[in-house]
Amino acid sequence: MFRPLPALTPELLVHNLSTSLGFYCDLLGFKVLFERVEQGFVAIGLGEAALMLEQIADNQDNDDPWVVGPLDAPLGRGINLQITVDDIERLHQRLLSSDQRLRLPLEDVSYQAGAQLLNVRQFMLQDPDGYLLRFSQIVKG
């Protein structure tokens, strides 16, 4: 069976789809997988990670079953999206040279995962709508 996206793919409502695409594709390196321009929708991917972005409608219906509350900034409160990458150093350098503000600087941490201890290099930033993105790479300890 054809599956165009991973089994779990978050869909993020965004205030300006063009701004979000610039951020995700031009700055972070995501690629457009497919889009439905007439619906203000695009699916993007980076490595094995994928996101769906949807433009918030100007006339957002209060009875829209997809929206559970006011879409006040910052969006995505209470969640951070971990995105595993192959070369975190290169991505981190690209962000530093763009003057992008990081919410969590590049750091090395260890996390218990069952019987294993994983050594991870990570940093975190917010997208234009306030969603938290935590980029990580497992490193040898």
Side-chain angles (χ1 to χ4, degrees), residues 25-72:
C25 295
D26 299 339
L27 183 62
L28 299 179
F30 279 76
K31 303 291 184 221
V32 172
L33 303 175
F34 60 91
E35 59 189 326
R36 295 189 295 270
V37 176
E38 68 284 351
Q39 295 174 341
F41 172 90
V42 65
I44 57 175
L46 178 67
E48 296 178 27
L51 293 171
M52 298 179 289
L53 305 175
E54 183 178 344
Q55 175 79 43
I56 296 171
D58 290 336
N59 57 350
Q60 190 71 41
D61 183 0
N62 289 338
D63 293 329
D64 185 338
W66 299 100
V67 179
V68 297
L71 296 174
D72 298 328

Side-chain angles (χ1 to χ4, degrees), residues 73-94:
L75 298 176
R77 284 172 266 171
I79 187 171
N80 79 77
L81 303 173
Q82 178 178 296
I83 303 166
T84 302
V85 295
D86 292 330
D87 190 348
I88 197 161
E89 299 290 340
R90 187 176 75 205
L91 178 57
H92 182 253
Q93 286 304 314
R94 185 179 333 148

